[in-house]
Amino acid sequence: MYNYRYEPHRVIFMIDNKSFYASCEALRLGLNPMEVALAVVSQQPGTDWGSGLIMAASPLAKKKYGLSNVMRARDLPPKDQAPDLMLVEPHMYLYIKRSMEVLQIFRKYAADEDIHVYSIDESMIDMTESWHLFGDDPYLVARKIQKDIHDSLGLYTTCGIGENPLLAKLAMDISAKPRTSMIACWHYIDVPDTIWKIPKLEDVWGINVKMANRRLRRLGINNMYDLAHSDPAILKKEFGVIGDQLFAMSWGVDRSIIKQKYRPKSKSYGNSQILSRDYEDQREIEIVIQEIGDQVAARIRAQHLLAGRVSLYVGYADYEADPAGFSIQEKITPTDISSDLVAKLRALFRRKWRGQAVRRLGVTYSNLAPAGCQQLTFFLPPAEQIKQQKRDQVVDKLRKKYGFASVVRASSLLPGATAIARSRLVGGHNGGNAYE
């Protein structure tokens, strides 16, 4: 058995708002999130109903009708077979507001530096220094936080408690969710009875189906017990540094400290999108890339930055394909001019794409520098470049005042352009995730 003596022994809470989007919608309608069959369906304007995405489903809808997130509307049961199933549109502003209100409750129990917002509905809290101020046992403190959130906002939460972030996350995902109390505690000493007993590799955070089926099982690793008793050298050879992380995970080892925040050496701006349908036409795909590229360009201009590197991610509609997509990047002369950035994105796309149906797109601008160091290119007269800069500035002002879709490129409105590009959500396709 591994000697955990020198590993961090902290008190970490991983807290998840149960079926967050669906719960927010149920509460908005005055209903109990645990007692209503409800699904949040995002439907892009101008597209068929069947292409709509199920963003979230309440626990009862999942149990009663087998719904799951990211299913398509076409997979919903007919109305006569699900008369009590409510379908509602998403309200992202509401979800963000509720998420911020939950964060304010967390701040009653821990300092800001001990709180890590993992996603809009999950947060990690290092309670090592503060749990004893609120109760005689971490379990009771977790119950108090649950009650505080429920009494204040009506939301139900699950909580995993562990001696490090990994154990807390796995305790929440694997053990807490099925429990009536929705709280579970995992310790180092419990690893043989907790992590090693997880039957499916893909049930573990950080291991996807492709990795489990095509790589780990090919090595004879079929569960977490096998992973913990495999040869670390083989894992290292197969996965590189990820192999070390997988082996450490199987033993419950995680040395990260929440208050020691990771500070990236270089900041980047980007936007990734899940498209409402499969895109196979090159022109349509490039229009969407163009709109996303424009969005991100507007963001770096707002920060008075220039991009010295552009990156493009393309994910294919066939998730099981090998490869399932591609990422490509290239250094450029620092610029914030939309037409230059989009032209480079288009060139990168044409270099790698071979006609596969596309479902996901992502654009990132990095190697950022202050706008004061901009260089003029030799390929355009200075007057033309200044004209382009002024045009972008005018467009940015109009979009800031009237919304991003108030100004679209002419190509987005030509016959045959995608419904998404013509919609009021230009560049903001459903399922998008903006990040910095």
Side-chain angles (χ1 to χ4, degrees):
M1 187 67 182
Y2 182 80
N3 184 356
Y4 295 99
R5 179 180 178 182
Y6 298 104
E7 297 300 330
H9 294 263
R10 307 191 68 80
V11 180
I12 309 296
F13 288 8
M14 185 75 184
I15 300 178
D16 171 65
N17 293 289
K18 195 169 183 67
S19 301
F20 184 53
Y21 291 178
S23 294
C24 288
E25 295 296 342
L27 292 165
R28 181 179 64 85
L29 298 171
L31 303 171
N32 188 322
M34 304 298 287
E35 297 177 357
V36 63
L38 181 148
V40 181
V41 181
S42 177
Q43 178 63 30
Q44 197 69 31
T47 59
D48 295 335
W49 162 251
S51 66
L53 183 72
I54 301 174
M55 297 178 63
S58 67
L60 183 60
K62 293 177 181 178
K63 180 179 179 181
K64 195 171 182 180
Y65 300 113
L67 303 189
S68 64
N69 299 349
V70 304
M71 284 175 58
R72 292 287 162 182
R74 67 175 70 94
D75 300 320
L76 289 168
K79 184 64 177 177
D80 59 338
Q81 296 180 19
D84 61 335
L85 179 60
M86 300 178 61
L87 304 180
V88 298
E89 295 181 352
H91 297 84
M92 289 304 301
Y93 175 78
L94 172 64
Y95 311 151
I96 295 171
K97 181 181 178 182
R98 291 290 176 266
S99 180
M100 294 303 295
E101 290 171 342
V102 171
L103 177 59
Q104 289 303 317
I105 293 175
F106 292 156
R107 286 174 170 157
K108 294 164 56 177
Y109 296 90
D112 278 356
E113 59 265 28
D114 289 324
I115 301 173
H116 174 68
V117 179
Y118 185 71
S119 67
I120 193 171
D121 61 345
E122 286 188 34
S123 292
M124 198 174 291
I125 311 174
D126 190 336
M127 297 290 295
T128 307
E129 307 297 334
S130 60
W131 72 264
H132 63 279
L133 301 175
F134 305 98
D136 297 328
D137 183 89
Y139 185 97
L140 298 178
V141 177
R143 186 75 186 99
K144 186 173 184 176
I145 295 175
Q146 281 184 327
K147 189 174 186 302
D148 198 347
I149 294 173
H150 180 265
D151 291 348
S152 302
L153 305 174
L155 296 168
Y156 292 85
T157 54
T158 57
C159 179
I161 304 174
E163 294 183 81
N164 60 41
L166 170 66
L167 290 172
K169 172 67 173 172
L170 293 178
M172 186 193 73
D173 287 342
I174 305 298
S175 187
K177 291 183 178 181
R179 292 188 176 189
T180 302
S181 68
M182 294 187 286
I183 301 176
C185 303
W186 282 18
H187 302 278
Y188 290 123
I189 197 172
D190 301 321
V191 166
D193 297 316
T194 53
I195 296 180
W196 294 358
K197 294 294 177 67
I198 300 173
K200 293 183 179 180
L201 291 165
E202 52 268 41
D203 287 343
V204 177
W205 169 73
I207 301 179
N208 57 34
V209 174
K210 183 176 180 180
M211 177 184 287
N213 287 337
R214 297 189 178 182
R215 304 187 71 178
L216 288 171
R217 291 192 173 102
R218 183 171 58 82
L219 297 174
I221 300 172
N222 299 300
N223 51 53
M224 292 303 290
Y225 178 87
D226 292 344
L227 182 59
H229 294 83
S230 59
D231 187 341
I234 294 177
L235 293 174
K236 177 77 171 181
K237 182 178 180 180
E238 175 71 20
F239 298 99
V241 67
I242 299 299
D244 293 336
Q245 294 175 4
L246 288 171
F247 188 75
M249 181 189 301
S250 69
W251 284 88
V253 173
D254 179 1
R255 294 167 183 159
S256 57
I257 305 297
I258 291 174
K259 67 174 58 179
Q260 297 174 359
K261 307 292 185 184
Y262 170 69
R263 306 294 181 189
K265 292 183 178 180
S266 62
K267 193 174 183 179
S268 64
Y269 284 82
N271 196 342
S272 61
Q273 310 288 349
I274 299 175
L275 307 182
S276 62
R277 60 178 175 83
D278 297 350
Y279 278 60
E280 299 179 344
D281 182 85
Q282 178 177 340
R283 185 170 175 277
E284 289 187 339
I285 298 170
E286 290 185 1
I287 288 174
V288 180
I289 292 174
Q290 175 179 284
E291 298 299 342
I292 300 174
D294 274 348
Q295 265 194 329
V296 185
R299 291 174 63 196
I300 66 170
R301 284 195 296 270
Q303 300 299 321
H304 307 291
L305 296 171
L306 308 176
R309 182 186 297 273
V310 298
S311 305
L312 176 67
Y313 165 71
V314 176
Y316 300 146
D318 182 4
Y319 292 89
E320 297 299 320
D322 191 9
F326 64 84
S327 295
I328 184 172
Q329 58 182 307
E330 187 172 309
K331 286 185 177 181
I332 61 171
T333 301
T335 183
D336 62 357
I337 297 175
S338 287
S339 58
D340 293 347
L341 293 166
V342 169
K344 178 56 64 176
L345 290 169
R346 190 181 296 115
L348 292 175
F349 174 70
R350 293 175 180 177
R351 189 186 305 174
K352 294 283 287 186
W353 186 63
R354 297 296 181 267
Q356 299 92 334
V358 172
R359 199 56 176 267
R360 292 158 291 160
L361 290 169
V363 169
T364 302
Y365 298 151
S366 57
N367 285 16
L368 302 175
C373 67
Q374 184 159 13
Q375 299 177 2
L376 298 179
T377 175
F378 293 108
F379 299 103
L380 279 178
E384 179 62 26
Q385 295 177 60
I386 294 172
K387 181 180 179 181
Q388 290 180 346
Q389 292 170 358
K390 290 183 176 180
R391 181 202 62 192
D392 284 340
Q393 292 169 2
V394 171
V395 170
D396 289 346
K397 288 180 180 179
L398 290 172
R399 285 170 167 168
K400 183 176 181 179
K401 185 173 182 179
Y402 299 106
F404 191 87
S406 61
V407 181
V408 297
R409 289 181 180 270
S411 59
S412 300
L413 303 175
L414 292 173
T418 65
I420 286 179
R422 294 195 305 268
S423 77
R424 61 182 177 84
L425 295 177
V426 174
H429 314 295
N430 179 50
N433 175 38
Y435 56 90
E436 295 186 15

